[in-house]
Amino acid sequence: MSERQTMDVDIVCVGFGPATGGFLTTLLVAQPSGCDLTPPQILCYERADDIGFGVSGVVTRARSIRASFPDLNPAEIPMAAEVRDEKVLYLLDPIGASRRSLALRAADKLIRAFRFALPVDNHALELPFTPGFLHKQGGLVLSIGQFNQWVGQQLMASGVAQIWPGTPVASALIEDDRVAGVRLADQGVDRQGHPEPGYLPGMDIRAALTVVGDGPFGAVGRQLNQHFGMPEGNTQREWAIGMKMVVDLPEGCELEAGTVLHTFGYPEPEIFGFLYVHPDRVASVGIFVPSWMDSPVRTAWRYLQHYIQHPYLWRYLKGAALRSWGAKSLQESGRRGEPRLVGNGYARIGEGSGSTNVLTGSGVDEAWATGAQLGEAVLELLKAGKPFTRENLEATYVRRRRASWIEREGRVAERARDGFHHGVVTGLIGMGLAGLTGGRLWAPGEHVPHYERIPSVLEYYKSKIPAREIARIREECAAKGLSLHDALMERAGWPAIEYDGRLLVTQQDALLMGGKVQAPAGYADHVVFLYPSLCESCGTQICVEICSGQAIAPGPAGVPVFDREKCVHCGACLWNCSQPLAEDPERTNIDLRAGAGGLHSGEN
Ligand SMILES: Cc1cc2nc3c(=O)[nH]c(=O)nc-3n(C[C@H](O)[C@H](O)[C@H](O)COP(=O)(O)OP(=O)(O)OC[C@H]3O[C@@H](n4cnc5c(N)ncnc54)[C@H](O)[C@@H]3O)c2cc1C
Ligand code: SF4
Ligand code: SF4
């Protein structure tokens, strides 16, 4: 059997997203200024099969990105455009199927009654202005896939770091409470991880500094959270699944590049949505389904189909064609979900380090900024010849971060979303209060774990579908190996989707179009049901409903089955699972390990 190999480097990075981009670019920019240092040897491992396969089409103020590239010309970055026109829209329900509270129904009636005097157009109320804290004027519409490639090419051409895509990091090497590097995932194993012919144990990469920029739900970040514990009072209980499509807009569509539409109110009041226009009549359109949406069948895929058909958006999207599609979770605890940022031999950057701003809904610029701050800190320590100890990283990286706009704005946003735990209207008031008062006022609400909030399917549909019928639907779906949401939603009033084979396509077709899903052989399953007995007694099986790629299906004896070939690595099953672990109620019965493959699309 092969021996596990070991390699020594100066710095090893986990993940190549905007955070690591900011880190490495800062080191690159410092190079010509010629610190008389021997450049550190840096390796960066990315689990996706290319560095441009990260999912998110974004609008960003790009403050820290522009600071790193003072002469940035958006025309040089594929799919980038300057933000031009920005609108916030409240979408009314044109169908009557969404679950609206009495207060919201009353508000909707008023809006419809006074539509002659209000800016109401195609069942949407345009807010008279975009609140200052939300607006992105002066910013950029980007495709993160294209942006990452643009950044990565410069880094690799410069030799500042070697970036290895298609290489999942299995875990951090923790020795005596010090992180000594990382272990790459084993290859040549069966689905359970047992060696097979051709077994190649993942290499150990030992490094003086391990930079963890593995995003909102990375396995290494979560390992560190478990091993070192979270700072007192901090939890990561707030999440959202973001799902989006990249589309070719129909000919004659009048939307200009740089147009930014933010929406809320439809298909369910809790679902925020967006449409961003790139150059050449290409747009990103998507939704966020948050953890505080109390539905046991919260299916982002099905809701996205209804979202794009809202009359306000459909007049632009009718006739459009799907180019690619993808999904990824967002860590929405923000500053309150901040883990221990540094320790001996390691530092955390980006969304997994709590940098995402939950008031403004932005994470790219913030992630980049934390990476850039760590880059400056590393240069300072290298010049001073000081080691990467917890104290030295605190005094350089954490000090910079605390003194920066990341900390100030993160604090303003900290309680902005608490009100959503009492409903959408309270939540929106809370966001407005926090945004307009610089975080001094907010609507209170307790961050209850999602599994304490999710009602049963019977409870959720009790006013719409008789229990007997739910039992029948359940039986029929189980027999066909299907999730429940399509049948239940249609019975509750949502119209069936009329597929057109271009934009309105089945979930299976979406897996094959544009963002084709691939799963290289020889790796273990990365989605693991930890205690099958918990699944057997789990009434909700929300993992089946939420799964972005239909990779989790009802299984025999009540334990779902996982199909690696369909998994888009969105992370939603990890935090949506409705069963907490007895030994750690902050974790669920699903473990999401480092895995290879996923979506193959460079433009998400
Ligand atoms: C649909 C959607 C829309 C969004 N829209 C916006 C927006 O408009 N504006 C905005 O500012 N933000 C937006 N965001 C949020 C933004 O994308 C994130 O905040 C940002 O990408 C975080 O950057 P990061 O570098 O910290 O993490 P990521 O971008 O998540 O990058 C982490 C990388 O690490 C890799 N990785 C993870 N684990 C491992 C491992 N074990 N081994 C190797 N590699 C690993 C991942 O594959 C990934 O490439 C959106 C997100 C989504 C999902
Ligand atoms: S993984 Fe979680 S949600 Fe899915 S069946 Fe098991 S316990 Fe239920
Ligand atoms: S199985 Fe894969 S695609 Fe499905 S929810 Fe989990 S991570 Fe997402």
Side-chain angles (χ1 to χ4, degrees), residues 76-96:
E76 288 173 8
I77 310 172
M79 291 176 75
E82 304 265 6
V83 173
R84 292 168 67 101
D85 187 23
E86 202 172 2
K87 285 182 187 157
V88 182
L89 301 153
Y90 171 61
L91 301 183
L92 296 159
D93 174 6
I95 288 171

Side-chain angles (χ1 to χ4, degrees), residues 425-450:
V425 177
T426 320
L428 291 171
I429 293 171
M431 270 184 86
L433 280 176
L436 297 171
T437 66
R440 282 182 284 279
L441 294 177
W442 67 91
E446 203 188 332
H447 287 216
V448 179
H450 72 287

